Amino acid sequence: MAHLRESVDKALKMLRTLPRVQLNNIRPNPNSKKPTKRGRAQHSGDKHGAGNKGSGQRQNYMRLGYETGNNPFYLRFPYEPYYKGHHLRRQYPPISLLQLQVLLDTNRIDDKQPIDVTTLCNTGLLHLQPASTEYGFQLTDEGIDKFKAKICIEVQHAKESVIAAIERNGGVIRTAYYDPRSLQVMVDPQKWFEKGEPIPRRLLPPQDAVAYYISAKNRGYLADPEEISRERLVLAQKYGYELPRIEDDPDYETLISQKDARQIFYGLEPGWVIGLKDKIIVKSKGFPEDHTKTEEESVIKERNQVL
């Protein structure tokens, strides 16, 4: 009995010192579990993740999309016409009004000068890749309630609310098309000028984009100026703000500055050669095609064909 009492006391003393039984300290009894034998493949053993025979065991990996002889997914289902030519569609990287206001507040952009693709790319914060079907910037309405600047800006796409936000502050906005070669020149003008090649002419928009750029509602650069003036008043009445008179503005010359339909840079005509090393500008008399038809006539003819 004395021996049994000592064993009980010893067990109770050990239980007092040990932690309580919980899920995190439960362990199986020693040697109660035995590891599974490896076994041989032909005697119900494990295949070691290689599968059963075939190319899977020989590390002869199949090409992407191959379904071991079955009709593949991209052939079982018909294609969607929506995605036809999607890799050729024009892309317009977004820039918000909030970003534009920050660039103006940090003096990365001068609000006293016209703003275009070259101005935005020269900030070092916005990038454009014409080789990846990027055809310019689209101005979005993010931060529309915080935008207070008066600017003259040219972008490639803008919504109605964005146009109203620019014109409410007394600014001017235009949407203009640039072909990939012209955009390549505008993204890095210094690289182009160092080549010693003349400034190319901007091409007219393709047929599917002409309707957008001749519309006065979109402030297209091919639209009639009188129609744009009427649409400015209509938009002001729609959004309930008083349209400022840019004719009385001290920056009137900057606000009305506009490029020609074939012009790429402000103040530089197509065909001119810019010599950065010698700091000279070689002015040409124009392209050979100009002798038969002027640029203004071609733009008007294109506009009449669409209308």
Side-chain angles (χ1 to χ4, degrees):
M1 293 295 295
H3 179 70
L4 181 60
R5 188 179 301 109
E6 290 179 1
S7 300
V8 172
D9 294 341
K10 186 177 180 181
L12 292 175
K13 184 179 179 179
M14 184 175 62
L15 287 175
R16 294 189 189 98
T17 58
L18 292 176
R20 297 184 62 180
V21 178
Q22 297 177 354
L23 291 177
N24 60 352
N25 55 22
I26 296 178
R27 297 289 184 274
N29 293 329
N31 300 324
S32 63
K33 290 190 175 183
K34 295 183 180 181
T36 305
K37 292 184 179 180
R38 174 179 172 181
R40 297 174 59 186
Q42 58 184 344
H43 292 99
S44 67
D46 186 38
K47 305 296 191 300
H48 313 297
N52 188 19
K53 300 183 180 181
S55 60
Q57 288 187 339
R58 295 168 178 81
Q59 297 186 0
N60 181 22
Y61 302 111
M62 294 170 285
R63 62 176 174 81
L64 188 64
Y66 182 66
E67 300 183 13
T68 62
N70 298 330
N71 195 19
F73 174 82
Y74 59 88
L75 293 179
R76 285 201 304 270
F77 300 95
Y79 78 99
E80 291 289 343
Y82 173 81
Y83 296 103
K84 183 178 181 181
H86 67 281
H87 61 290
L88 301 175
R89 293 181 180 177
R90 292 184 291 273
Q91 306 295 326
Y92 300 97
I95 170 176
S96 65
L97 289 174
L98 181 61
Q99 288 178 285
L100 187 60
Q101 184 66 54
V102 171
L103 293 175
L104 292 167
D105 294 341
T106 54
N107 294 328
R108 288 183 177 268
I109 295 180
D110 186 8
D111 58 352
K112 302 298 181 182
Q113 299 295 331
I115 302 173
D116 59 352
V117 174
T118 303
T119 308
L120 297 174
C121 291
N122 284 341
T123 60
L125 301 177
L126 302 173
H127 306 282
L128 199 64
Q129 297 179 355
S132 300
T133 66
E134 293 182 355
Y135 280 72
F137 295 101
Q138 62 168 329
L139 200 56
T140 62
D141 56 359
E142 181 183 358
I144 191 173
D145 54 338
K146 299 180 181 179
F147 187 77
K148 305 298 180 183
K150 180 185 65 176
I151 57 174
C152 174
I153 187 170
E154 179 188 75
V155 292
Q156 282 60 59
H157 197 278
K159 296 196 302 184
E160 185 182 72
S161 58
V162 175
I163 297 175
I166 298 290
E167 296 179 350
R168 178 183 57 192
N169 299 332
V172 176
I173 182 173
R174 296 183 183 87
T175 56
Y177 171 82
Y178 290 93
D179 58 282
R181 189 190 182 197
S182 300
L183 286 172
Q184 198 70 42
V185 178
M186 299 181 70
V187 168
D188 194 354
Q190 181 178 356
K191 182 178 180 181
W192 182 269
F193 294 156
E194 288 176 350
K195 294 180 180 179
E197 298 183 7
I199 301 175
R201 288 199 307 179
R202 178 171 33 156
L203 300 181
L204 292 175
Q207 193 65 31
D208 58 343
V210 171
Y212 182 86
Y213 292 109
I214 66 172
S215 174
K217 293 183 179 180
N218 302 325
R219 305 300 187 266
Y221 74 115
L222 299 178
D224 188 2
E226 296 182 358
E227 294 182 6
I228 292 179
S229 300
R230 288 194 294 268
E231 290 296 334
R232 283 170 56 91
L233 183 59
V234 171
L235 193 62
Q237 294 174 351
K238 179 179 180 180
Y239 282 83
Y241 61 87
E242 184 178 356
L243 185 64
R245 288 180 54 86
I246 61 175
E247 294 82 1
D248 302 334
D249 196 284
D251 300 328
Y252 175 71
E253 296 297 332
T254 302
L255 294 176
I256 65 171
S257 57
Q258 184 178 2
K259 301 178 185 178
D260 185 73
R262 299 286 188 152
Q263 193 176 358
I264 296 179
F265 299 106
Y266 285 104
L268 299 178
E269 298 294 333
W272 290 6
V273 179
I274 311 300
L276 296 181
K277 186 176 181 180
D278 300 330
K279 297 182 179 180
I280 60 174
I281 299 178
V282 180
K283 299 181 180 181
S284 62
K285 296 182 180 180
F287 290 88
E289 296 85 349
D290 295 340
H291 297 291
T292 58
K293 183 172 60 176
T294 62
E295 299 172 359
E296 291 80 2
E297 292 175 350
S298 62
V299 173
I300 294 174
K301 182 178 179 181
E302 186 74 19
R303 182 195 305 164
N304 293 335
Q305 288 177 354
V306 175
L307 295 176

